[in-house]
Amino acid sequence: AMEVHYNRSKPFRTAWIMYLLGFLALIASFPLASTVVSRVGMALVVGGCVMNAYGMALRTMISGRPPVTNMYETVVFVAWGGVLFALIFEGIYKVRYFAATAAGLGVLCLILADNVPILDGAIAPLVPVLRDNMWLTVHVLTIMLGYAAFTLAMGLGHLNLGLYFFAPGKAALLKSLSLFLYRALQVGTLFLAVGTLLGGVWASYSWGRFWGWDPKETWALIALLGYLAILHGRFVGWIKDFGIAVGSIIGYLLVLMAWYGVNFVLGTGLHSYGFGSGGYTYIGGFVLFELAVIGAALLRRRMELQKQVTPQPAA
């Protein structure tokens, strides 16, 4: 009966519709400077987050396990986790940028989850190695919360680069958005580091060794080191606001390789229970788009720097 209710109620569809309406309301609240519209947008985003959580709770009760055991469930979880982190940040900073960014990303994630063929929403039995729910919960949920924070950071990075393209004079806003991006990267790196260590503990419990340079382990470590390099460069002043925005996108491509590429492209290693095929067009298009964004941003940045050093003709 619960599964029938889940299939009929379609909570994730309701969630992305609420995310979309909340996103539009929050975007409209900036030029309108309307507190009412802003509050309506925030209420819709919170409602979408609740519906997203309700759908995951139904899947958990139906299957008896955390809803993060296949690609479909992880995409849905990342949408919810990104909005959850955004709402926490909104409680601290009250700026609406977090909520608007996370709501837009939540719409994209949930629409993709419902329409991309490789994302199968069926609730299937677990393979034996995943049936220890304690390790499944602490390791996979921690990793996916890290991915959720990085997804939010990636969206904020695009917002920062958009300012470089279309409003380069808004230095104060850019400085604030760079701080928000830095905070999201810190949260994501913390969860990814803890989740990677917990994965080693689970590997020792299941396979008899803590670390074996399995492709999944290797790419998780590469992603972690990539983000640590970005945070370190920002902390010591090697990269500034523009650099951390570009770094948030490059780092997300590393996450994408650890999340999708190992399972659907490499298809080797001890994590075979998560392997699949397909989706290359979608992922390839996304990667090319991101590389184009980075290239255009670097070109624009170079042009701006050249303008600053080019001497002006005398009057």
Side-chain angles (χ1 to χ4, degrees), residues 75-131:
V75 171
V76 169
F77 186 86
V78 162
W80 173 79
V83 174
L84 177 64
F85 283 130
L87 293 177
I88 294 173
F89 282 126
E90 288 293 347
I92 300 172
Y93 295 104
K94 297 178 175 60
V95 292
R96 292 171 290 166
Y97 295 112
F98 289 108
T101 302
L105 293 170
V107 173
L108 293 176
C109 288
L110 293 182
I111 289 179
L112 287 174
D114 275 342
N115 294 279
V116 175
I118 66 169
L119 301 179
D120 185 6
I123 301 175
L126 287 178
V127 297
V129 73
L130 296 179
R131 290 177 187 169

Side-chain angles (χ1 to χ4, degrees), residues 156-237:
L156 291 171
H158 281 84
L159 186 58
N160 283 16
L161 292 181
L163 281 179
Y164 276 103
F165 277 100
F166 305 110
K170 296 185 176 181
L173 177 58
L174 178 62
K175 183 66 66 176
S176 298
L177 288 176
S178 297
L179 173 63
F180 303 151
L181 170 58
Y182 187 47
R183 293 290 180 258
L185 289 176
Q186 287 176 314
V187 171
T189 303
L190 174 63
F191 276 98
L192 181 58
V194 174
T196 302
L197 291 174
L198 291 173
V201 175
W202 190 11
S204 177
Y205 176 79
S206 298
W207 297 324
R209 91 290 186 279
F210 181 83
W211 194 268
W213 297 106
D214 180 80
K216 196 74 168 179
E217 299 167 349
T218 303
W219 276 101
L221 179 62
I222 291 173
L224 176 60
L225 293 176
Y227 279 108
L228 286 172
I230 294 168
L231 292 179
H232 180 73
R234 175 68 170 78
F235 181 76
V236 300

Side-chain angles (χ1 to χ4, degrees), residues 16-46 95-97 99-101 103-104 107:
W16 76 253
I17 292 174
M18 297 184 76
Y19 285 153
L20 177 60
L21 295 176
F23 170 76
L24 295 175
L26 288 172
I27 292 299
S29 72
F30 288 105
L32 295 176
S34 171
T35 304
V36 174
V37 176
S38 174
R39 289 177 178 175
V40 170
M42 289 298 299
L44 287 167
V45 173
V46 171
V95 292
R96 292 171 290 166
Y97 295 112
T101 302
V107 173

Side-chain angles (χ1 to χ4, degrees), residues 118 260-267 271-280:
I118 66 169
Y260 166 86
V262 173
N263 289 5
F264 286 79
V265 178
L266 298 182
H271 293 73
S272 58
Y273 46 80
F275 291 170
S277 61
Y280 309 125

